[in-house]
Amino acid sequence: MKVISIIAYNTFREIIRDRVLYGLVVFALLLIGMSLALGQLSFQEQSRISANFGLTGIHLSSIVLAIFVGSTLVTKEIDKKTILTLLARPITRVQFLLGKAFGLSGIIICVIVSLSIVMLFIFLNLNMAIDYRFFVALFGIFLEALVLLGVSLAFSSFSRPILVVSYSVGLFLIGHWLESLKFFAEKSENISFIYFSKIISNTLPNLEVFNWRSLPIYEESIAFSEVFNATLYSFTWFAIFLTITTIVLRRKDFG
Amino acid sequence: MEILNVKNLRKTYVKGFIPKKQLVLKGVSFSLQPGTITGFLGGNGAGKTTTMKCLLGLAFPDSGEVEYFGQKELTSQIKAKIGFLPERPYFYEYLTGMEFLKFYGQISTKLKKHDLNQRILSLLERVDLIHAKDKALRDYSKGMLQKIGLAQALVHRPEFVILDEPMAGLDPDGRYYLSELIKETASEGTAVFLSSHLLHDVEQLCEHLVVLTGGNVVYEGLTQKFLESMNPSIDISYVDSGVGKTCSVPKGEALQLKIRELLKSNFDIMEIKENKISLEEAFVNTALRKDS
């Protein structure tokens, strides 16, 4: 565990010292700032528009982090050959992978937390009620980012970053359209489309499960069991993708 | 006990769009003793780096056996006894020299924070980088990176160090300091396995050699014996009817016969001198012999 935490800390430090992260945070802050301006345009729905925009900003930045940074997390170590000195040390390939994944997860948490602090100030400014729903929405964003981090890590174990990003974005879009796909399959009479829909729904992660961003906006309620199941769902997919990555990396020659 | 015992290591790479097999190691065998500095020689593509990667678990051999400290498995405990400096070191450029050594020290030793800091500072002194300890590695020159790389390989006091081209890119001063550090490390009982194309440095540093050509070990043993095996010639200078002459004869029986012949002919022998062959010449001869 000590080795994993040291690698995770180093990964965290690597991303923190990268300018790309700050570009992303500035983008998210602009989006949140814009939410205030756009909210002003609406007479009655100001707080809802602001909350919607703000949460979308946090959601997008965490997804971009998971996909774009995740796609180069391992390949960068291989391309720059830093992996050679690292794996020559008392570190297993699984520990290396877990360290990298936890390091980026830490960054995603930090970005979500820091952007949500900005959001909280905006909520306070708009006299919006802040309750558990806001934090559940943020937790859902993190769970989705975790699954996508697993996806990009798994793809990066056998593909180049540009393709990894394409595959991951594809999976992100499919993951959000699965509910619609199921809906159309139910209405469809085409047998092959129904089977295709079933296969896709059962083999790919459904990312709409984590979409709780409407909770604080429309003051909807959510059962604890739903949050618990979604957490389990996210961790399971993350573990599946990490296992795939480990299997590929286990017998890979580096050099 | 041997530090390392490599037996019949074979490795094939599959490369290209249409997969083509390339046998890189064709049964490499050699062993290393504690406290020795062994030079690992071979031309480009001979299989040196591949051998090193197989030893470190970075590449998987097709067949063969490697014993580390008498054990057949490269466990974390064994890895903790090994240090490695790769060829053309690429390091985490966002780290400072101090952070970099701390990172590698923390993952390789159980030293307490204070002791590890002391070890790092003393290593930085030894590689003459104490002034750059708080500088990011991206601002280091190639020579400085080579030095910090060596410090990284030694930070956990390994019993066995693998150095791939440690002198590359260093100025004469740097090479001298690094040579001294390598000698000092070996004198503390660490086995050093060093690959280099700078054969003059290898000749000065290494008492043992493993010579690799085309994926095969063509020589393993003492450097001195390797040089002697090249049959260096002996120049005999003598005076023949007032005229100074020189002839070259191979070492051994031919030399004795030639001396007897000259003495019998009443020539005055002025000088008998051995033509010392450099490691570079010896290596080239070996490679050429193997090629032919």
Side-chain angles (χ1 to χ4, degrees):
Chain A
M1 201 59 205
K2 183 194 162 199
V3 168
I4 297 173
S5 60
I6 294 168
I7 297 172
Y9 175 60
N10 194 47
T11 307
F12 186 89
R13 192 162 46 180
E14 176 183 3
I15 304 167
I16 282 285
R17 290 180 187 180
D18 199 332
R19 285 188 202 122
V20 175
L21 178 72
Y22 298 101
L24 191 69
V25 170
V26 167
F27 163 76
L29 286 174
L30 282 176
L31 211 62
I32 293 170
M34 220 164 79
S35 72
L36 262 180
L38 279 171
Q40 297 289 336
L41 297 177
S42 167
F43 180 66
Q44 282 184 320
E45 303 284 333
Q46 184 183 0
S47 55
R48 281 185 182 172
I49 289 174
S50 299
N52 203 348
F53 246 78
L55 284 170
T56 304
I58 297 175
H59 180 227
L60 278 183
S61 37
S62 66
I63 299 307
V64 167
L65 257 180
I67 293 178
F68 283 83
V69 181
S71 68
T72 57
L73 206 57
V74 174
T75 47
K76 206 157 96 180
E77 294 263 1
I78 297 171
D79 290 344
K80 290 199 166 184
K81 298 192 178 181
T82 43
I83 199 165
L84 300 182
T85 41
L86 204 55
L87 291 183
R89 298 287 171 158
I91 296 171
T92 63
R93 294 178 184 207
V94 180
Q95 285 173 322
F96 164 74
L97 191 68
L98 287 176
K100 298 298 289 183
F102 290 158
L104 181 51
S105 307
I107 289 285
I108 293 172
I109 291 173
C110 282
V111 167
I112 291 176
V113 168
S114 47
L115 291 178
S116 60
I117 291 171
V118 179
M119 275 288 290
L120 280 174
F121 279 113
I122 291 176
F123 278 16
L124 286 174
N125 187 39
L126 295 172
N127 290 324
M128 267 183 82
I130 299 158
D131 60 14
Y132 77 95
R133 293 182 188 92
F134 177 65
F135 300 101
V136 171
L138 293 175
F139 186 55
I141 290 173
F142 170 70
L143 292 179
E144 183 180 338
L146 199 64
V147 174
L148 287 167
L149 168 60
V151 169
S152 54
L153 276 175
F155 283 134
S156 71
S157 63
F158 55 82
S159 199
R160 306 302 305 157
I162 184 80
L163 292 174
V164 176
V165 171
S166 317
Y167 299 149
S168 306
V169 170
L171 220 75
F172 166 73
L173 295 175
I174 295 170
H176 279 286
W177 290 336
L178 279 183
E179 293 294 332
S180 312
L181 194 72
K182 272 187 204 167
F183 174 78
F184 288 120
E186 277 167 18
K187 306 278 175 202
S188 174
E189 286 172 5
N190 185 334
I191 300 291
S192 49
F193 177 65
I194 294 169
Y195 274 110
F196 171 76
S197 156
K198 269 189 184 168
I199 292 168
I200 293 284
S201 307
N202 291 323
T203 50
L204 297 179
N206 180 0
L207 300 177
E208 273 301 303
V209 167
F210 314 112
N211 188 355
W212 300 320
R213 292 186 294 282
S214 59
L215 295 184
I217 300 167
Y218 298 106
E219 294 180 7
E220 296 162 348
S221 59
I222 187 167
F224 173 76
S225 61
E226 195 180 328
V227 177
F228 180 78
N229 289 339
T231 308
L232 217 61
Y233 186 71
S234 166
F235 286 0
T236 307
W237 273 111
F238 185 59
I240 289 170
F241 287 122
L242 278 191
T243 309
I244 295 169
T245 320
T246 308
I247 291 167
V248 180
L249 284 186
R250 222 181 160 88
R251 296 299 299 174
K252 197 179 175 96
D253 286 336
F254 294 114
Chain B
M1 185 181 59
E2 281 165 343
I3 292 278
L4 187 80
N5 196 0
V6 183
K7 288 178 204 161
N8 208 21
L9 213 61
R10 291 174 72 84
K11 173 72 186 168
T12 311
Y13 280 116
V14 182
K15 282 180 180 170
F17 182 70
I18 299 164
K20 203 177 164 187
K21 280 187 177 181
Q22 190 190 352
L23 185 61
V24 180
L25 303 181
K26 301 169 182 168
V28 171
S29 303
F30 62 91
S31 59
L32 301 177
Q33 303 297 326
T36 55
I37 307 177
T38 304
F40 193 33
L41 305 187
N44 292 330
K48 299 189 304 289
T49 303
T50 303
T51 307
M52 290 179 166
K53 282 177 190 162
C54 287
L55 298 181
L56 291 159
L58 300 168
F60 297 97
D62 306 336
S63 61
E65 237 176 50
V66 185
E67 271 182 27
Y68 312 84
F69 305 93
Q71 285 187 41
K72 284 189 180 164
E73 221 177 307
L74 184 61
T75 58
S76 288
Q77 283 83 2
I78 296 289
K79 275 183 170 181
K81 295 180 185 178
I82 302 174
F84 174 53
L85 170 68
E87 188 185 5
R88 291 191 294 269
Y90 297 89
F91 298 130
Y92 300 105
E93 54 185 27
Y94 54 89
L95 295 179
T96 66
M98 190 75 188
E99 286 172 339
F100 172 70
L101 292 181
K102 250 187 206 170
F103 173 59
Y104 280 94
Q106 281 172 339
I107 53 178
S108 320
T109 67
K110 289 185 175 108
L111 281 180
K112 286 195 176 130
K113 201 176 168 186
H114 177 260
D115 296 337
L116 180 63
N117 280 349
Q118 287 301 314
R119 169 74 182 153
I120 290 169
L121 289 173
S122 85
L123 267 173
L124 283 169
E125 291 262 18
R126 278 159 79 181
V127 293
D128 195 24
L129 282 178
I130 197 81
H131 61 283
K133 72 180 169 71
D134 296 320
K135 215 172 167 181
L137 294 190
R138 71 168 66 91
D139 298 324
Y140 275 40
S141 68
K142 196 180 173 195
M144 287 163 89
L145 282 176
Q146 205 75 24
K147 287 180 186 175
I148 199 99
L150 185 65
Q152 160 283 133
L154 299 175
V155 70
H156 55 304
R157 295 183 196 278
E159 290 174 43
F160 171 38
V161 194
I162 298 178
L163 308 173
D164 199 358
E165 298 288 349
M167 310 288 192
L170 290 181
D171 56 16
D173 265 11
R175 272 157 60 191
Y176 172 77
Y177 279 118
L178 231 64
S179 298
E180 289 304 305
L181 182 57
I182 292 170
K183 280 184 203 165
E184 208 178 303
T185 307
S187 71
E188 288 164 3
T190 303
V192 180
F193 189 50
L194 177 155
S195 142
S196 178
H197 287 302
L198 299 167
L199 299 190
H200 176 72
D201 293 331
V202 174
E203 193 174 349
Q204 301 292 312
L205 265 174
C206 308
E207 62 263 43
H208 289 81
L209 283 183
V210 173
V211 182
L212 199 66
T213 309
N216 289 302
V217 172
V218 290
Y219 179 82
E220 184 196 357
L222 291 170
T223 308
Q224 195 54 42
K225 277 197 174 166
F226 180 63
L227 295 174
E228 282 170 9
S229 71
M230 293 295 128
N231 273 333
S233 62
I234 308 281
D235 281 352
I236 306 174
S237 304
Y238 60 96
V239 181
D240 176 5
S241 318
V243 182
K245 289 184 177 175
T246 305
C247 68
S248 284
V249 284
K251 231 176 173 182
E253 205 180 329
L255 171 67
Q256 299 306 322
L257 283 172
K258 188 69 188 175
I259 292 171
R260 268 187 224 129
E261 184 194 315
L262 291 171
L263 289 174
K264 206 173 168 186
S265 308
N266 282 330
F267 294 141
D268 292 332
I269 295 175
M270 308 304 289
E271 191 182 30
I272 299 175
K273 200 174 83 183
E274 188 179 1
N275 277 325
K276 283 212 165 172
I277 189 163
S278 69
L279 184 58
E280 201 152 355
E281 288 167 304
F283 173 69
V284 171
N285 285 344
T286 310
L288 286 176
R289 218 159 42 192
K290 178 75 187 167
D291 286 346
S292 65

